């Protein structure tokens, strides 16, 4: 029995992972088509707007196989991306994949704690609002949530920076560490947290608003289900009823977070630009400024593949928590 | 219709959204005819704080922020409107075809829509605008082309349920052409859901243009709110007014659209309407 069950699970996970292959293939194909249809020579997109000599261009053409038929080029493109070769950055002349890999941890340091804390708080607020639907309290929370996700993070970020960092001086205005007085150990951690606080809170308001709204709707719906009515009829305490409803209401949150991953990352890169946080957003900003096409393409490909994988991961987690999904 | 106004007026938040939206639209249409200064000319010292001469101050080049804000209102709202119109036109047409035709065409269109929704929209828009050039035509086209799937899926589901209704079967039996069935019989009944979706598309398009302009992919020929924020970022601590007013413009317009969309959505739910 035990063996059969874990077998089912393994089959489910393998199936879900295999399902990412066609999507990833499409993502790579899209980026290939983009390079082909972009105005000007693909070579501009691949190496940037320098002034390479004719000999250099010929050398790059031969190396990248640009003198070969299109289907051979497509094949080469696939092969290179599978080898994590995203070309060379024009501005900083390093491999694109290394530049991205170097900045990714900083982006995650900003994104993950904020996502975790404010998702939990947002859900709590939503559940609280759902206990008395359409009351004044609930309506106020709903309107605040709409206002919360109507402010673009970069607008909120600029205002928070002005008020809390520039005028009140409570937080540093830019960057991730104080390079003028480098500290290590606990002092270094405190320094990092001081730099992290403001951008993380700004980023978090969005999760707070979106998740409060989601949890509220899901909870109201769950509390209206037959099994809740029957649990109440059987004399189950209100606390226990809420707990039962909460469990069922919150399972889809896993999927929602997965589907919103691209949104979450977008918010993070925009906040990074406001606060000079040295992550992927800053890298992207500099790449746009320097017309660094290989780096911009690389960022798109990595993020798009990341989205496909995160979606698969959240589906798998959902399947682990809820057997109905994996046996469907 | 009278019924609609009766219920709409009771939703104070939605009414507030509609009022802000009307004000911003009037500012966008009429405002640029009454500009206090030429928004492109250097009419003051750089970074002058708000004063009687320059009610919203001047920017880093000494241009009048109020004049640029008013022109920016027109630009941001026009770009948002045209981009949303593009995505709605595409989404409604493709969704109607998918929902009405069904079968293989439906499968193909919906798989395409799903694939578009997997792609990270902002990053794809960023690459497209960077590659094809930051002009308003490109920005509108890119936002429109990347935003149609949600409209198409909504239209499709409305069509799937409406096409099976008795009245549709009846007019078809009367020999009405397919186009007239779609445009005269089904589409008007799908309108309430589509209007909510249009409000959301509009707010989404304004946000996306602002974000693209903020990261440096704006069309410099005319200022938009997002572009003003982009140049404000460099001088944020010296001149708060350069960032504050365009930021407020984006927030008010997007919030107004979202509140309005929310209110209209609630009205379609008869359970809530009774309250």
């Amino acid at each position: 029995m035990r063996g059969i069950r874990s077998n089912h699970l393994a089959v489910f996970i393998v199936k879900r992972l295999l399902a990412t292959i066609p999507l990833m293939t499409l993502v790579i194909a899209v980026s290939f088509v983009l390079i082909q249809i972009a105005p000007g020579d693909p070579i501009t997109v691949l190496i940037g707007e320098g002034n390479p000599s004719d000999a250099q261009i010929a050398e790059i053409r031969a190396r990248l196989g640009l003198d070969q038929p299109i289907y051979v080029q497509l094949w080469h493109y696939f092969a290179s991306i599978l080898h994590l070769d995203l070309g060379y950055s024009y501005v900083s002349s390093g491999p694109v994949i290394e530049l991205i890999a170097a900045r990714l941890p900083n982006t995650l340091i900003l994104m993950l704690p904020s996502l975790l804390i404010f998702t939990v708080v947002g859900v709590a607020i939503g559940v609280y609002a759902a206990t008395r639907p359409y009351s004044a309290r609930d309506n106020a929370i709903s309107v605040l949530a709409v206002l919360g996700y109507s402010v673009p993070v970069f607008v909120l970020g600029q205002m928070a920076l002005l008020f809390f960092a520039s005028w009140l001086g409570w937080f540093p205005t830019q960057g991730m560490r104080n390079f003028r007085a480098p500290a290590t150990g606990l002092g270094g951690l405190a320094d990092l947290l001081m730099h992290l606080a403001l951008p993380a809170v700004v980023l978090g308001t969005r999760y707070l608003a979106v998740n409060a709204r989601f949890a509220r709707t899901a909870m109201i719906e769950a509390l209206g289900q037959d099994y809740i009515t029957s649990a109440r009829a059987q004399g189950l305490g209100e606390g226990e009823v809420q707990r039962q409803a909460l469990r069922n209401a919150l399972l889809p949150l896993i999927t929602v977070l997965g589907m919103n991953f691209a949104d979450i990352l977008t918010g993070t890169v925009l906040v990074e630009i406001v606060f000079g946080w040295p992550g992927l957003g800053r890298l992207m900003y500099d790449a746009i400024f320097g017309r660094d096409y290989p780096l911009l393409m690389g960022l798109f490909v990595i993020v798009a593949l990341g989205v496909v994988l995160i979606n698969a991961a959240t589906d798998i987690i959902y399947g682990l928590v809820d057997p109905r999904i994996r046996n469907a | 219709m009278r019924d609609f106004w009766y219920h709409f007026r009771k939703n104070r938040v939605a009414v507030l959204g509609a009022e802000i939206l009307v004000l911003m639209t009037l500012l966008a249409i009429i405002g640029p005819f009454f500009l206090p200064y030429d928004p492109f000319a250097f009419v003051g010292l750089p970074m002058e704080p708000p004063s009687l001469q320059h009610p919203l101050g001047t920017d880093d080049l000494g241009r009048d922020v109020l004049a640029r804000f008013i022109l920016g209102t027109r630009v941001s709202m026009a770009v948002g409107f045209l981009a949303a119109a593009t995505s709605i036109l595409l989404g409604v047409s493709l969704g109607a075809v998918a929902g009405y035709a069904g079968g293989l065409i439906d499968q193909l269109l919906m798989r395409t829509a799903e694939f578009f929704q997997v792609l990270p929209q902002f990053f794809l828009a960023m690459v497209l605008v960077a590659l094809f050039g930051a002009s308003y035509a490109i920005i509108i086209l890119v936002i429109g082309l990347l935003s149609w799937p949600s409209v198409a899926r909504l239209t499709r589901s409305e069509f799937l349920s409406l096409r099976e209704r008795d009245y549709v079967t009846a007019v078809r039996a009367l020999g009405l052409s397919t186009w007239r069935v779609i445009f005269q019989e089904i589409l008007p009944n799908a309108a309430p859901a589509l209007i909510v979706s249009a409000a959301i598309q509009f707010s989404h398009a304004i946000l996306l243009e602002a974000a693209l302009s903020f990261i440096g992919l704006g069309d410099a020929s005319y200022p938009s709110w997002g572009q003003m924020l982009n140049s404000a970022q460099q001088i944020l601590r010296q001149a708060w007014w350069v960032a504050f007013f365009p930021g407020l413009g984006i927030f008010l317009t997007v919030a107004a659209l979202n509140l309005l969309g929310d209110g209209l959505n609630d009205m379609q739910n008869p359970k809530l309407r009774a309250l």
Side-chain angles (χ1 to χ4, degrees):
Chain A
M1 194 62 202
R2 179 96 206 137
I4 293 170
R5 201 182 289 166
S6 59
N7 231 340
H8 271 302
L9 202 57
V11 169
F12 165 74
I13 292 174
V14 170
K15 262 191 188 164
R16 190 60 193 81
L17 287 176
L18 286 177
T20 61
I21 292 175
L23 274 179
M24 299 222 254
T25 311
L26 271 170
V27 165
I28 297 172
V30 163
S31 59
F32 180 76
V33 170
L34 284 182
I35 295 172
Q36 295 297 322
I37 63 172
D41 200 304
I43 213 153
T44 321
V45 183
L46 292 166
I47 66 166
E49 278 174 354
N51 275 321
S53 68
D54 288 351
Q56 275 175 307
I57 290 178
E59 189 270 327
I60 293 164
R61 269 183 194 288
R63 184 161 59 82
L64 299 171
L66 290 181
D67 44 2
Q68 288 170 17
I70 196 103
Y71 59 89
V72 180
Q73 290 185 39
L74 180 62
W75 175 250
H76 280 299
Y77 188 72
F78 264 98
S80 61
I81 288 191
L82 287 182
H83 288 103
L84 289 178
D85 172 10
L86 297 171
Y88 285 83
S89 159
Y90 160 60
V91 173
S92 53
S93 67
V96 165
I97 190 72
E98 283 180 19
L99 290 170
I100 294 177
R103 297 295 190 95
L104 184 63
N106 291 349
T107 293
L108 295 179
I109 289 176
L110 174 56
M111 183 173 92
L112 292 179
S114 171
L115 180 64
L116 190 72
I117 295 170
F118 287 94
T119 298
V120 172
V121 179
V123 165
I125 293 175
V127 169
Y128 176 69
T131 51
R132 285 220 195 116
Y134 311 113
S135 63
R137 185 179 79 191
D138 174 43
N139 287 337
I141 291 175
S142 291
V143 171
L144 280 178
V146 175
L147 296 183
Y149 71 72
S150 296
V151 200
V153 282
F154 47 96
V155 170
L156 194 65
Q158 288 188 331
M159 291 307 116
L161 193 159
L162 272 173
F163 194 76
F164 294 105
S166 190
W167 288 347
L168 295 177
W170 290 355
F171 300 99
T173 53
Q174 292 279 297
M176 190 171 161
R177 282 175 208 285
N178 186 353
F179 288 111
R180 260 173 268 172
T184 49
L186 271 183
L189 184 66
D191 181 44
L192 176 66
L193 287 178
M194 283 304 281
H195 282 84
L196 179 63
L198 212 46
V201 170
V202 166
L203 189 56
T205 39
R206 200 178 165 73
Y207 314 143
L208 196 73
V210 171
N211 289 312
R213 215 172 134 82
F214 169 79
R216 173 188 172 272
T217 315
M219 195 65 184
I220 289 175
E221 198 177 310
L223 285 170
Q225 299 283 316
D226 288 344
Y227 72 90
I228 294 292
T229 316
S230 106
R232 281 199 176 122
Q234 284 168 11
L236 207 63
E238 191 55 32
E240 185 58 29
V241 168
Q242 294 272 340
R243 241 194 308 281
Q244 290 287 336
L246 188 63
R247 195 187 130 79
N248 283 295
L250 290 191
L251 276 177
L253 185 67
I254 302 170
T255 313
V256 172
L257 284 177
M259 287 195 316
N260 288 340
F261 174 69
D263 252 18
I264 295 167
L265 198 59
T266 303
T268 314
V269 299
L270 291 170
V271 168
E272 281 181 8
I273 293 171
V274 175
F275 289 94
W277 189 267
L280 293 178
R282 229 15 250 196
L283 189 66
M284 187 172 85
Y285 189 75
D286 295 340
I288 288 169
F289 194 74
R291 293 281 172 253
D292 194 341
Y293 298 120
L295 185 46
L296 290 175
M297 280 306 299
L299 274 166
F300 164 68
V301 172
I302 290 293
V303 171
L305 294 179
V307 167
V308 173
L309 286 175
I310 295 279
N311 278 338
T314 50
D315 277 2
I316 289 171
I317 295 171
Y318 200 153
L320 293 177
V321 195
D322 189 344
R324 286 173 303 183
I325 303 295
R326 63 169 181 261
N327 294 330
Chain B
M1 202 59 198
R2 192 185 291 166
D3 196 42
F4 170 83
W5 283 115
Y6 174 75
H7 287 292
F8 185 71
R9 270 205 296 266
K10 283 207 295 191
N11 191 333
R12 272 177 301 166
V13 177
V15 170
L16 180 68
E19 284 166 357
I20 296 173
L21 194 61
V22 169
L23 282 178
M24 295 309 280
T25 309
L26 286 177
L27 183 65
I29 295 172
I30 302 168
F33 296 115
F34 301 96
L35 292 179
Y37 294 95
D38 176 354
F40 300 101
F42 309 135
V43 292
L45 296 170
M47 295 189 268
E48 272 183 57
S51 63
L52 283 176
Q53 282 85 31
H54 300 284
L56 307 187
T58 63
D59 70 4
D60 50 338
L61 300 175
R63 295 173 298 193
D64 185 65
V65 172
L66 177 61
R68 292 180 73 77
F69 173 80
I70 294 172
L71 188 60
T73 306
R74 175 181 280 186
V75 171
S76 291
M77 289 190 74
V79 170
F81 182 82
L82 292 173
T86 310
S87 80
I88 291 163
L89 199 69
L90 262 176
V92 169
S93 322
L94 294 176
V97 169
Y100 199 82
L104 196 66
I105 297 173
D106 180 28
Q107 285 288 316
L108 198 70
L109 284 172
M110 285 306 109
R111 288 295 92 75
T112 313
E114 275 165 28
F115 175 60
F116 263 86
Q117 288 184 313
V118 171
L119 293 174
Q121 195 188 39
F122 174 75
F123 291 89
L124 183 52
M126 176 271 292
V127 166
L128 284 169
V129 174
L131 287 180
F132 288 89
S135 73
Y136 281 119
I138 294 285
I139 293 171
I140 290 168
L141 211 61
V142 164
I143 299 176
L145 286 176
L146 295 183
S147 309
W148 63 271
S150 66
V151 184
R153 294 176 75 160
L154 177 75
T155 310
R156 172 183 175 270
S157 69
E158 290 283 316
F159 264 65
L160 278 182
S161 82
L162 288 170
R163 73 165 184 193
E164 303 301 336
R165 300 276 170 86
D166 288 342
Y167 79 93
V168 175
T169 319
V171 293
R172 276 160 85 176
L174 286 173
L176 233 61
S177 72
T178 304
W179 289 114
R180 286 186 64 184
V181 172
I182 290 181
F183 283 105
Q184 288 186 359
E185 304 300 330
I186 301 187
L187 210 50
N189 285 293
L194 289 176
I195 288 170
V196 175
S197 156
I200 294 166
Q201 289 288 318
F202 192 8
S203 80
H204 184 77
I206 291 176
L207 279 177
L208 195 50
E209 187 274 333
L212 287 171
S213 293
F214 176 69
I215 61 170
L217 290 171
D219 180 341
S221 62
Y222 287 96
S224 71
W225 288 330
Q227 279 180 65
M228 294 175 77
L229 292 182
N230 172 270
S231 46
Q233 177 65 29
Q234 316 302 327
I235 50 163
L236 198 55
R237 278 180 285 166
Q238 292 83 31
W240 59 268
W241 52 91
V242 185
F244 180 77
F245 297 105
L248 189 67
I250 299 174
F251 169 60
L252 283 178
T253 313
V254 171
L257 280 164
N258 287 341
L259 291 173
L260 183 63
D262 250 29
L264 292 175
N265 197 32
D266 284 351
M267 279 172 60
Q268 284 170 41
N269 187 342
K271 254 194 268 176
L272 297 185
R273 231 161 79 160
L275 290 170

